[in-house]
Amino acid sequence: MDNRQVAARVEELLARMTLEEKAAQMVQIPYPFVGREESLRWAKMGAGSFLHVLGDEAREVQRVAIEESRLGIPVIFGIDAIHGHGLNDHATIFPTQLAAACSWNPDVAYAMGEVTAREVATDGLHWTFSPVLCLGRDTRWGRVNETFGEDPYLAGEMGAAIIKGYQGEDLSDDERILACAKHYIGYGEAVGARDSCDTEMTYRKLREVFLPPFKKAVDAGVASIMTAYGSIDGLPFTIDPISLKDILRGELGFDGFVVTDWDNVNSLVRRQHVCETAEEASVLAANAGNDMIMTSTEFYQAVLNAVRGGQVKEEVLDDAVRHILTIKLRMNLFEKPEKKGRPGCFGCEEHLEKAKDAADRSIVLLSNNGVLPLRGVKKVAVIGPNADDIRAQYGDWTYFTHPRLNMEHEPIRPYVTVKEGVENLCAARSVECVYHRGCSVLDGEYEDIAGAVETARDADAIVLVVGDVIPQVGEEKDRAVLELSGRQMELFDALRALGVPVVTVLVASKPLAVGRAATQADAFVCAFNGGMFGGEAVAKAVFGEINPSGRLPISFPRASGQVPVYYNHLPGWHCQAGKGYCDLAAGPLYAFGEGMGYSPFVYSDLAFDRETFKASVKVTNAGERPGTETVQAYFNDVVSSVITPVRQLIAFKQATLAPGESAVVEFALSREDFSLINRKEQRVTEPGEFVLMIGHSSRDEDLLKTSFRL
Ligand code: BGC
């Protein structure tokens, strides 16, 4: 069906729908919460969508919707398939978005999207609530793991790629599903990182920092957008017509449908206290431009009353239903209500290979005094609470880690923890490998530091795996203290005292304030939540089977109190202007863009043509192993009408080079890349002086610079 045929079919259907059917089409039912009977009743009434229901239960809902509702409009099933179709036991689990963002490689994001879509579609489902395009700037926030990190440019590139992976070229493709860019907008900017209603935001800031990834998502054709829990200047985003209508539809040209987040309509009454009744909340939500209402089923009756009472025009419902039906028709749902997917694809070789590749590329080596890659060792000790904890390695949103879902399940193979990965590689090299947990991540669960020390005493190297665990991760799990919890630091100190080289590995949902566990270790490896093969990737990096190429998409704080500590801050931010807090060294412990491999890269010959906006730089692999460098381009507007960031990423490219090999890496930039949002909220490039900086990371000393005037 072409666009004209779709539009005609939508109008024809709309004309036949009663007011009740329109209201029902706008409601999304949480199956596990309302139960089977109630769900089937909603299906008969013509509810537009259901979430968190799989398999035969979903099939039954669909059958009832098609056969027993008056118009037989098929429902769409949505699920949180966030880093793989994780709520299905047999799915391929990828690194979290944050870990995947360490690859700085949109092809990795595309592959995650493609594989996840195929597995979700094979379950007969249509829609994932992914990607998260919020930024992880205040890392106390529990959901940092779901973001692509702190930077709008990188998040936008990775986001657009995963969306294309989910959706493909054609929404009717049996192996593709709808994506949902969320949470629109600024959710991560919750004050004090306290999830979730109060956000420090202005429209100018929104446009400058938080909108760019959503613009890329819309340009990539994202079919749906989810609103955020937060607020702007006292107005919850769910009822903000400026961001939802003027900006999203008007300026960005979004043509999919908008879904609220979980129970947002009721939250207007119960949590945000801007409405007295569900009816009042429903009026505001409908009029602001929400098309589908997640879980607040009160909306149905409330909006009917409101239309009858004249507070909401029926055309508002028409518009919402039009957006939903257009997507349903573009998906060809009426002909094929159930996606076929690719039977047998769960955990198939191709999918597992892609998860392995993503895990390998997400390993970030942050320090190394030469101990890595391990050579000539006879005995390796793997120690630490996260060395053999697959739950911690998976992170949030899988079938056995998400608290709202089914925690009871046991993890299903294949997966490889760090302990198993190191054991396997040791076995292949006839190296002895010993393991001890040492302590738990949370206080008081388990502790045998002395035992761990004994185990490691005569080893030639220690791989110590620290981090966080599920009770510290996710929604409503914001942390005030980012330092290593429990007795993990004591464990490090005790091992350090042995005099055996210590490689510290972080398996965690976000940058923790790792302190001396990193700086006093012989090497520090950041793995975040690497998914099924995260542990294997760590082992491969440790033994040099891969040359680590990950770069940080997010800054590491020196202490909790230094957060937020993102790189693209405004000038005058004392903690990075060289002075820092009076009781802490300045700048992050590890900076955005940072990461090393076993080959150093040397930069030279930065050139920029101010007429064509072409930039180039020469990069040389000065090491002895082939390696991949991520060449990063930043700019600064030296004097601007509003305060602009000390630097902002505008492009990056990867180059894989043989030892001694050089390449000239070119960037086709544009005038708009050097723009800002002015006080009138317009995106403009102001005349004056600019600095273009290209190099290895966001650190000043890693960048070559050239100034020019526009
Ligand atoms: C989260 C969303 C998620 C939704 C459905 C909400 O609480 O904020 O990200 O998609 O629940 O599970």
Side-chain angles (χ1 to χ4, degrees):
M1 247 192 280
D2 65 23
N3 288 348
R4 275 219 340 263
Q5 289 166 312
V6 166
R9 186 79 196 279
V10 168
E11 295 312 316
E12 179 200 312
L13 264 169
L14 252 181
R16 289 167 58 206
M17 289 173 85
T18 63
L19 184 61
E20 287 79 1
E21 283 161 342
K22 291 175 191 170
Q25 194 58 217
M26 291 175 71
V27 179
Q28 185 183 51
I29 307 297
Y31 186 100
F33 287 79
V34 305
R36 173 174 173 267
E37 258 171 55
E38 186 64 2
S39 290
L40 296 181
R41 190 178 71 80
W42 277 106
K44 254 183 234 172
M45 285 161 63
S49 175
F50 287 72
L51 78 159
H52 295 167
V53 51
L54 294 171
D56 287 342
E57 289 174 321
R59 273 179 211 110
E60 184 182 25
V61 169
Q62 190 67 288
R63 189 192 54 73
V64 170
I66 292 170
E67 292 172 11
E68 299 178 32
S69 77
R70 194 180 68 93
L71 293 174
I73 300 176
V75 305
I76 40 180
F77 293 107
I79 191 128
D80 289 280
I82 302 291
H83 52 118
H85 179 27
L87 303 185
N88 179 306
D89 302 20
H90 297 277
T92 306
I93 307 296
F94 279 84
T96 52
Q97 277 192 205
L98 185 67
C102 295
S103 71
W104 283 58
N105 189 330
D107 294 344
V108 165
Y110 182 89
M112 273 173 73
E114 187 182 38
V115 167
T116 304
R118 198 177 287 142
E119 295 190 0
V120 170
T122 306
D123 250 345
L125 309 181
H126 312 112
W127 182 20
T128 177
F129 306 127
S130 169
V132 167
L133 298 182
C134 307
L135 302 180
R137 306 215 302 178
D138 190 328
T139 48
R140 292 170 294 177
W141 189 37
R143 302 188 73 174
V144 167
N145 74 94
E146 296 183 56
T147 72
F148 285 119
E150 71 189 29
D151 179 64
Y153 183 84
L154 180 59
E157 293 298 300
M158 297 296 283
I162 201 171
I163 287 165
K164 288 182 191 152
Y166 286 135
Q167 297 191 167
E169 299 290 315
D170 179 354
L171 295 183
S172 72
D173 188 327
D174 252 330
E175 297 187 9
R176 305 287 183 161
I177 58 173
L178 306 180
C180 181
K182 71 187 187 184
H183 309 77
Y184 187 76
I185 187 167
Y187 175 24
E189 220 51 9
V191 175
R194 290 184 283 269
D195 205 279
S196 57
C197 295
D198 180 13
T199 322
E200 256 174 43
M201 187 66 71
T202 65
Y203 288 106
R204 204 192 69 77
K205 186 171 165 189
L206 180 153
R207 286 172 184 283
E208 185 165 279
V209 184
F210 302 99
L211 197 59
F214 284 95
K215 176 169 173 12
K216 283 187 186 156
V218 172
D219 291 345
V222 72
S224 71
I225 292 220
M226 187 187 294
T227 63
Y229 288 137
S231 56
I232 183 159
D233 202 13
L235 192 68
F237 277 116
T238 309
I239 53 172
D240 175 34
I242 297 180
S243 55
L244 285 176
K245 285 188 168 167
D246 304 356
I247 299 178
L248 184 60
R249 298 236 178 239
E251 292 174 31
L252 302 194
F254 174 61
D255 65 358
F257 66 89
V258 173
V259 61
T260 73
D261 199 352
W262 187 272
D263 217 17
N264 272 9
V265 167
N266 283 325
S267 288
L268 297 168
V269 180
R270 293 177 199 157
R271 285 152 62 113
Q272 292 165 312
H273 308 289
V274 291
C275 297
E276 247 177 58
T277 60
E279 190 154 318
E280 206 185 309
S282 301
V283 169
L284 292 176
N287 286 335
N290 293 282
D291 303 314
M292 187 179 283
I293 309 297
M294 187 190 287
T295 66
S296 304
T297 48
E298 293 84 342
F299 174 85
Y300 171 76
Q301 191 55 51
V303 88
L304 287 179
N305 298 346
V307 173
R308 289 176 189 134
Q311 298 104 306
V312 174
K313 295 205 180 88
E314 186 161 350
E315 293 85 81
V316 170
L317 273 60
D318 289 343
D319 263 344
V321 173
R322 198 171 273 128
H323 294 145
I324 296 167
L325 292 181
T326 300
I327 295 293
K328 288 188 175 180
L329 282 156
R330 282 176 55 201
M331 291 170 76
N332 200 24
L333 220 58
F334 289 77
E335 264 48 70
K336 280 199 292 183
E338 185 175 337
K339 291 263 181 192
K340 291 246 164 350
R342 191 188 288 180
C345 75
F346 278 87
C348 66
E349 205 50 42
E350 181 193 344
H351 291 190
L352 298 184
E353 279 310 314
K354 292 203 162 142
K356 277 185 195 172
D357 182 62
D360 288 352
R361 289 175 194 272
S362 63
I363 297 294
V364 192
L365 176 60
L366 286 163
S367 75
N368 181 16
N369 66 5
V371 66
L372 293 185
L374 293 182
R375 282 158 300 218
V377 289
K378 301 239 154 25
K379 178 171 177 180
V380 175
V382 180
I383 309 284
N386 277 1
D388 195 30
D389 181 344
I390 190 61
R391 289 183 158 78
Q393 183 174 311
Y394 272 15
D396 203 5
W397 288 112
T398 73
Y399 58 93
F400 62 87
T401 62
H402 196 270
R404 208 168 63 208
L405 304 153
N406 27 0
M407 286 284 276
E408 312 299 279
H409 288 220
E410 279 305 309
I412 290 174
R413 300 276 178 180
Y415 60 77
V416 182
T417 64
V418 176
K419 168 185 170 269
E420 294 164 346
V422 174
E423 275 171 357
N424 292 342
L425 293 193
C426 280
R429 290 168 167 71
S430 305
V431 170
E432 189 188 348
C433 186
V434 289
Y435 163 74
H436 198 290
R437 186 174 171 207
C439 68
S440 49
V441 167
L442 301 177
D443 259 326
E445 281 178 1
Y446 171 84
E447 184 218 317
D448 184 10
I449 292 179
V453 167
E454 278 323 301
T455 302
R457 187 175 295 282
D458 60 350
D460 301 309
I462 297 169
V463 176
L464 168 66
V465 190
V466 295
D468 60 17
V469 284
I470 294 303
Q472 298 166 307
V473 180
E475 282 183 65
E476 297 172 17
K477 308 280 181 49
D478 313 314
R479 293 183 66 182
V481 181
L482 293 172
E483 278 69 20
L484 292 178
S485 55
R487 301 187 65 181
Q488 297 184 88
M489 194 60 100
E490 271 174 66
L491 178 61
F492 169 78
D493 289 337
L495 295 169
R496 171 79 290 179
L498 284 175
V500 177
V502 178
V503 176
T504 300
V505 176
L506 183 72
V507 169
S509 65
K510 58 184 167 191
L512 299 176
V514 283
R516 64 179 185 280
T519 57
Q520 291 180 18
D522 295 271
F524 178 56
V525 177
C526 170
F528 289 135
N529 303 116
M532 282 182 153
F533 302 108
E536 187 172 272
V538 168
K540 286 196 272 187
V542 163
F543 279 102
E545 289 216 343
I546 55 170
N547 188 356
S549 62
R551 302 287 181 261
L552 287 181
I554 194 162
S555 310
F556 267 68
R558 290 177 188 276
S560 305
Q562 194 192 27
V563 167
V565 68
Y566 47 85
Y567 84 96
N568 49 354
H569 60 83
L570 304 183
W573 229 34
H574 72 73
C575 64
Q576 299 210 345
K579 289 199 219 94
Y581 291 92
C582 67
D583 53 2
L584 194 74
L589 187 62
Y590 299 110
F592 178 80
E594 209 174 321
M596 53 168 88
Y598 300 134
S599 287
F601 292 90
V602 176
Y603 283 76
S604 63
D605 304 339
L606 171 62
F608 178 67
D609 181 340
R610 168 173 86 82
E611 305 300 321
T612 60
F613 286 92
K614 286 217 168 73
S616 63
V617 74
K618 188 171 162 194
V619 189
T620 305
N621 179 346
E624 281 154 21
R625 298 185 48 152
T628 299
E629 171 68 335
T630 300
V631 182
Q632 304 165 31
Y634 300 84
F635 89 106
N636 170 247
D637 185 342
V638 177
V639 178
S640 41
S641 62
V642 289
I643 311 179
T644 48
V646 292
R647 65 183 50 110
Q648 173 56 51
L649 184 73
I650 45 174
F652 63 87
K653 261 191 190 165
Q654 285 183 334
T656 298
L657 300 174
E661 192 188 353
S662 296
V664 174
V665 175
E666 294 179 331
F667 294 101
L669 302 171
S670 70
R671 199 182 167 88
E672 189 175 328
D673 288 326
F674 299 90
S675 62
L676 53 74
I677 303 287
N678 69 15
R679 297 263 298 150
K680 291 184 184 148
E681 291 177 32
Q682 300 152 330
R683 188 164 275 287
V684 292
T685 304
E686 294 183 342
E689 190 187 351
F690 293 83
V691 184
L692 177 67
M693 301 165 251
I694 301 189
H696 170 74
S697 85
S698 69
R699 280 196 191 277
D700 205 57
E701 59 271 29
D702 280 339
L703 293 164
L704 297 180
K705 295 175 191 149
T706 177
S707 297
F708 61 94
R709 293 190 76 87
L710 288 179

